[in-house]
Amino acid sequence: MRKILTDDTLDPAFREQALLLPSETMIADQLDVVDPLAIHLARQFVRAAIGTRLRAELRAQYDANQTPGDYSPDAGSIGKRALKNLALAYLCAAPDDDSLTLARQQFDGATNMTDRVAALSALVHARASAAADALQRFYDEFQGEALVVDKWFAMQAAAPTTNVNRVRELMTHTACTLRNPNRARSLVSTFCAGNPVGFHAPDGGGYAFWAEQVIALDALNPQVASRLARVMDRWRRFTPDLQAHMKRALQQVAGQAKLSNDVREVVSKALAN
């Protein structure tokens, strides 16, 4: 990784792609028995190790791939931003004062959405004390732009500090309502599909929340509810303790007297497989 990172003969966009770790979903696909929390902890350990061992090189590439001046969507600039922001993410995976200051400065001075979101994500996933203020400032600035607000909700739903209680808080936000199917799906689905720490909590609370949300959404939009229901399609591949909680949640949904054909088909197939 050090060799790829520091090889300036390689295109920045190529280096960024080559240095990405496989996603937790991709890792899970390679396993016979899936323990989401163990996968998450192992991947985070590797990210932190990269951020520690390659700290000097990452910082050098962060500095070397700045794109000052007006925002440009050309391929070269896109590649530089991608490598710079990956370097920032790795630095903040093993956060120290310097890396968190770097993320705060980028957030404050960003002239484009790519850099601002990357800095905000780095602060959130590093559990930085400045994250709450940055999140509020981001919302205050972009609350009139629906797609950006969707991203704001999704970023928090995927954060490692987010649990069911935090998702419930976000759902009471004035900008989020269950009757906005796209926003509700973005928030709930991101938590259920993209937050292994919160969703796959050992006590099964994430699965109980999933069942509650599938049932509630089914009354409003069966197609949205059926897509959310598919989160549990491969429940038998998980550890026995998690399987028990997942089966209970699936049975809760399947046991509803008033359930759309779309959702009933999904949960029935999941239980039968």
Side-chain angles (χ1 to χ4, degrees):
M1 295 190 79
R2 177 180 284 110
K3 184 175 181 179
I4 293 171
L5 180 64
T6 58
D7 187 348
D8 291 335
T9 67
L10 298 175
D11 186 78
F14 173 84
R15 282 185 281 167
E16 186 264 345
Q17 288 293 304
L19 293 168
L20 286 172
L21 293 181
S23 69
E24 293 175 24
T25 300
M26 185 180 293
I27 296 169
D29 286 341
Q30 311 306 311
L31 302 176
D32 294 328
V33 178
V34 179
D35 184 338
L37 183 56
I39 293 171
H40 173 75
L41 291 175
R43 189 173 182 275
Q44 290 300 102
F45 176 85
V46 174
R47 293 181 71 244
I50 293 168
T52 300
R53 294 288 296 275
L54 301 182
R55 187 167 297 276
E57 292 88 346
L58 288 165
R59 179 56 195 264
Q61 290 302 316
Y62 179 88
D63 292 338
N65 285 280
Q66 297 293 320
T67 52
D70 294 337
Y71 173 81
S72 175
D74 66 277
S77 297
I78 291 172
K80 285 186 174 184
R81 281 191 292 270
L83 182 56
K84 175 191 68 178
N85 288 325
L86 181 65
L88 180 64
Y90 277 135
L91 288 169
C92 289
D96 60 7
D97 289 344
D98 288 341
S99 61
L100 295 180
T101 296
L102 205 63
R104 289 196 302 270
Q105 289 175 342
Q106 176 168 314
F107 179 80
D108 291 339
T111 60
N112 60 82
M113 186 62 69
T114 300
D115 284 348
R116 182 161 297 182
V117 168
L120 181 58
S121 179
L123 290 169
V124 169
H125 284 264
R127 310 184 185 205
S129 59
D133 176 67
L135 282 165
Q136 186 60 52
R137 288 166 53 201
F138 186 88
Y139 176 78
D140 290 344
E141 183 171 355
F142 297 107
Q143 59 183 295
E145 300 184 32
L147 293 178
V148 180
V149 174
D150 288 342
K151 186 185 291 290
W152 182 80
F153 277 113
M155 182 187 303
Q156 293 178 83
T161 54
T162 296
N163 55 22
V164 169
N165 291 336
R166 176 56 182 154
V167 176
R168 292 190 188 282
E169 289 178 7
L170 288 169
M171 293 180 74
T172 65
H173 193 283
T174 55
C176 184
T177 171
L178 195 60
R179 293 190 178 277
N180 182 334
N182 290 332
R183 183 158 292 158
R185 183 166 66 89
S186 175
L187 174 60
V188 176
S189 295
T190 300
F191 174 73
C192 294
N195 190 331
V197 177
F199 181 60
H200 295 287
D203 65 0
Y207 309 140
F209 174 77
W210 166 88
E212 172 191 317
Q213 296 306 313
V214 169
I215 293 167
L217 279 170
D218 190 48
L220 300 171
N221 192 319
Q223 290 184 334
V224 172
S226 66
R227 287 195 290 270
L228 178 60
R230 292 189 183 281
V231 169
M232 295 286 222
D233 276 353
R234 298 191 290 175
W235 66 278
R236 292 186 186 274
R237 294 191 58 213
F238 290 79
T239 59
D241 288 346
L242 293 181
Q243 280 190 40
H245 290 304
M246 295 171 111
K247 183 177 182 180
R248 190 175 301 115
L250 283 162
Q251 290 173 332
Q252 179 184 346
V253 176
Q256 297 298 305
K258 295 182 179 180
L259 199 65
S260 70
N261 291 333
D262 292 344
V263 172
R264 191 172 299 282
E265 180 181 5
V266 171
V267 297
S268 296
K269 285 184 176 179
L271 286 167
N273 290 337

